[in-house]
Amino acid sequence: MAVTASGAVAVSTDGSVAYCDEDGVSVYDPGAGVPLHGVAATDGGFLVVGGGGTVLLGDRGSWTALSSPTTADLKAVSALSAEGFMTAGDGGVVLLGQAGELRLLDSPAERELLGVELLSLYHGWLVGRGGILLHYH
């Protein structure tokens, strides 16, 4: 789930995105057709990640798929902005999103990564199954 000053967004394994604000809850289908696992707020909307390397950028009813260099299921995302974010998932896969491009990073992890906290484009932390803790720098 991601929280902003105007509301909260959550994703579902049924592929939907739920947006909650002062007007209530609205559910959207971003058209991914895969389970969604992670969401992060950006300066102009949200990043959503999920099955098959899916990375979507959008807000409410308008979503754009970004070209992903992996087909691994992505489980977590952390965003500084729509132009700077990190996502991670199955098999230890780690992607860095920068200036509209997704780049696959080298990762020593072989197990599922479940959490990401990006502090800058050059510094962050990732956690995963089996006690994995990675420092990106």
Side-chain angles (χ1 to χ4, degrees):
M1 180 167 64
V3 178
T4 69
S6 61
V9 172
V11 295
S12 173
T13 56
D14 72 2
S16 65
V17 177
Y19 188 85
C20 179
D21 62 13
E22 60 191 27
D23 296 327
V25 177
S26 302
V27 178
Y28 299 95
D29 178 2
V34 297
L36 299 175
H37 304 292
V39 60
T42 68
D43 43 358
F46 300 93
L47 278 159
V48 174
V49 298
T54 298
V55 180
L56 303 172
L57 177 62
D59 190 12
R60 300 183 190 234
S62 177
W63 296 92
T64 301
L66 302 181
S67 180
S68 178
T70 186
T71 57
D73 287 355
L74 300 173
K75 302 297 175 101
V77 60
S78 178
L80 302 171
S81 70
E83 296 292 317
F85 62 92
M86 181 176 279
T87 182
D90 286 355
V93 69
V94 178
L95 302 178
L96 182 66
Q98 191 172 9
E101 305 248 341
L102 284 170
R103 184 169 45 107
L104 190 60
L105 300 181
D106 290 333
S107 169
E110 295 178 0
R111 298 184 74 184
E112 182 180 39
L113 295 172
L114 299 168
V116 179
E117 186 63 39
L118 189 61
L119 304 173
S120 77
L121 285 177
Y122 310 102
H123 184 208
W125 294 91
L126 300 101
V127 297
R129 294 216 187 273
I132 296 170
L133 176 63
L134 300 177
H135 185 204
Y136 166 73
H137 56 96

